[in-house]
Amino acid sequence: MAKKHRQPSAPQDVYVDLLLMPGTRVLFWAVGECPFCGAKHYHAAGTERDDPGERLGEVQSGCGGGAYILALPPRSLRKKGKKGKRRAWDDWSDE
């Protein structure tokens, strides 16, 4: 059995933004800060006709420092408003 420090570590998630190349239909995933070198990197996401979500996942960094996982940033929670609060209260009071 291999020692723990010799086992490869799992690649970390990196949050990306979708960019449209000006004057073309080409899309890129932009990594704001590389975890290995700190620079910006761009990864191809297809064209406007393609689904850019298919290109998310594990990729090699542009600097050659290793692999990371392209991921979308988490969404913020939406407020329910008065109707949502009433429904939640009605559901709870029925029990």
Side-chain angles (χ1 to χ4, degrees):
M1 187 148 85
K3 293 185 178 181
K4 286 187 179 182
H5 71 277
R6 292 185 185 170
Q7 293 176 351
S9 61
Q12 65 184 43
D13 290 350
V14 177
Y15 297 130
V16 293
D17 295 319
L18 188 62
L19 299 178
L20 176 66
M21 179 68 80
T24 67
R25 296 181 180 193
V26 179
L27 299 170
F28 286 97
W29 288 116
V31 176
E33 186 175 334
C34 175
F36 303 109
C37 69
K40 274 191 167 184
H41 295 300
Y42 300 96
H43 299 277
T47 63
E48 289 179 341
R49 295 180 185 177
D50 300 331
D51 180 19
E54 293 177 357
R55 302 282 180 118
L56 293 173
E58 187 173 338
V59 296
Q60 291 293 324
S61 65
C63 61
Y68 48 69
I69 297 174
L70 300 179
L72 295 175
R75 290 185 174 190
S76 61
L77 298 175
R78 294 183 63 185
K79 295 183 179 180
K80 292 182 180 180
K82 289 182 181 179
K83 289 183 180 178
K85 289 179 184 176
R86 277 191 222 124
R87 285 186 194 134
W89 177 256
D90 290 342
D91 292 344
W92 181 78
S93 62
D94 290 342
E95 293 177 359

